[in-house]
């Protein structure tokens, strides 16, 4: 039990508060925030159908779509939700659970939809949260020799594999 408490403390303390630039291999928005986004072409599918599929996505992915959806504008075809995914960071011989919270926005138009995943925050326990931008800040992500720190690589790999 002591080892588990130590590991949770270690994972909680590692994402150091910093301000600067996010590492180059993560997508960012104009403000430097991590932002996974894209437009998907869906030829011959109208905006109404894509909007309904977006609603279905939230129902299928989250335990309670009603708890997740923060904004639902049928007229403009926009749905915004906030949820989390459990990720596991291996430290020493144990995998430590971390909640990766994020906002997801789906916007439907005739023949295409746009998705955005942003506002990513890591929570290793209820009292601590670290924005992804701090975890992946260049100043803390890399060692003096230019190599990435192992723990931050694990966070990056888990985050990107779940997006």
């Amino acid at each position: 039990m002591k080892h588990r408490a130590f590991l949770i403390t270690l994972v909680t303390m590692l994402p150091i508060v910093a301000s600067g630039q996010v590492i180059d291999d993560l997508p960012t928005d104009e403000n430097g925030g991590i932002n996974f986004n894209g437009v998907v072409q869906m030829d011959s599918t109208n905006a109404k159908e894509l909007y309904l599929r977006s609603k279905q996505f939230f129902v299928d992915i989250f335990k309670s779509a009603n708890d997740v959806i923060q904004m639902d504008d049928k007229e403009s075809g926009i749905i915004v939700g906030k949820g989390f995914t459990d990720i596991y960071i291996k430290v020493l011989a144990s995998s430590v659970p971390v909640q990766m919270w994020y906002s997801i926005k789906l916007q439907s138009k005739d023949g295409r939809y746009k998705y955005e995943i942003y506002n990513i925050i890591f929570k290793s326990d209820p009292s601590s949260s670290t924005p992804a931008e701090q975890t992946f800040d260049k100043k803390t992500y890399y060692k003096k020799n230019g190599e990435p720190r192992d723990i931050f690589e694990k966070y990056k790999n888990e985050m990107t594999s779940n997006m």
Side-chain angles (χ1 to χ4, degrees), residues 109-120:
K109 297 203 178 212
D110 286 337
R112 66 188 183 279
Y113 69 90
K114 180 180 180 180
Y115 67 89
E116 269 188 272
I117 303 170
Y118 58 98
N119 195 26
I120 302 165

Side-chain angles (χ1 to χ4, degrees), residues 39-47 49-50 53 109-113:
V39 175
V40 178
Q41 293 298 128
M42 300 289 290
D43 295 334
S44 72
T45 308
N46 66 35
E49 175 64 23
L50 291 172
R53 289 182 188 181
K109 297 203 178 212
D110 286 337
R112 66 188 183 279
Y113 69 90

Side-chain angles (χ1 to χ4, degrees), residues 15 28 34 37 42 77 88 99 126-127 129 132-133 135 148:
T28 57
I34 295 173
N37 64 73
M42 300 289 290
Y88 296 88
Q99 289 181 337
S127 64
S129 63
E133 291 79 13
T135 302

Side-chain angles (χ1 to χ4, degrees), residues 78-97:
I78 298 174
I79 302 174
V80 178
K82 290 186 179 188
F84 72 89
T85 300
D86 288 321
I87 62 173
Y88 296 88
I89 306 299
K90 190 169 183 175
V91 179
L92 303 175
S94 296
S95 288
V96 178

Side-chain angles (χ1 to χ4, degrees), residues 7-162:
L7 293 174
I8 290 172
T9 302
L10 179 66
V11 171
T12 302
M13 300 306 285
L14 279 174
I16 301 166
V17 176
S19 61
Q21 292 185 324
V22 172
I23 60 174
D24 293 331
D25 43 339
L26 293 175
T28 57
D29 60 20
E30 63 277 353
N31 298 320
I34 295 173
N35 185 308
F36 294 88
N37 64 73
V39 175
V40 178
Q41 293 298 128
M42 300 289 290
D43 295 334
S44 72
T45 308
N46 66 35
K48 182 179 178 182
E49 175 64 23
L50 291 172
Y51 169 80
L52 292 174
R53 289 182 188 181
S54 295
K55 291 277 284 197
Q56 186 66 43
F57 165 81
F58 280 96
V59 170
D60 291 344
I61 298 299
F62 299 102
K63 289 180 183 176
S64 174
N66 291 333
D67 291 338
V68 171
I69 295 174
Q70 304 292 305
M71 180 185 141
D72 185 351
D73 186 344
K74 188 175 184 175
E75 302 302 317
S76 65
I78 298 174
I79 302 174
V80 178
K82 290 186 179 188
F84 72 89
T85 300
D86 288 321
I87 62 173
Y88 296 88
I89 306 299
K90 190 169 183 175
V91 179
L92 303 175
S94 296
S95 288
V96 178
V98 175
Q99 289 181 337
M100 181 178 65
W101 287 81
Y102 52 88
S103 296
I104 183 167
K105 177 181 178 182
L106 300 174
Q107 183 173 7
S108 305
K109 297 203 178 212
D110 286 337
R112 66 188 183 279
Y113 69 90
K114 180 180 180 180
Y115 67 89
E116 269 188 272
I117 303 170
Y118 58 98
N119 195 26
I120 302 165
I121 298 171
F122 299 111
K123 291 185 178 187
S124 52
D125 68 56
S127 64
S128 73
S129 63
T130 305
E133 291 79 13
Q134 291 178 3
T135 302
F136 302 114
D137 179 83
K138 286 181 179 181
K139 292 177 186 173
T140 56
Y141 187 83
Y142 294 107
K143 300 177 195 175
K144 289 181 182 177
N145 67 3
E147 293 292 318
R149 295 181 193 280
D150 186 48
I151 190 82
F152 296 138
E153 269 292 284
K154 291 174 184 176
Y155 270 88
K156 183 184 84 171
N157 292 336
E158 285 297 312
M159 180 183 70
T160 55
S161 70
N162 281 283

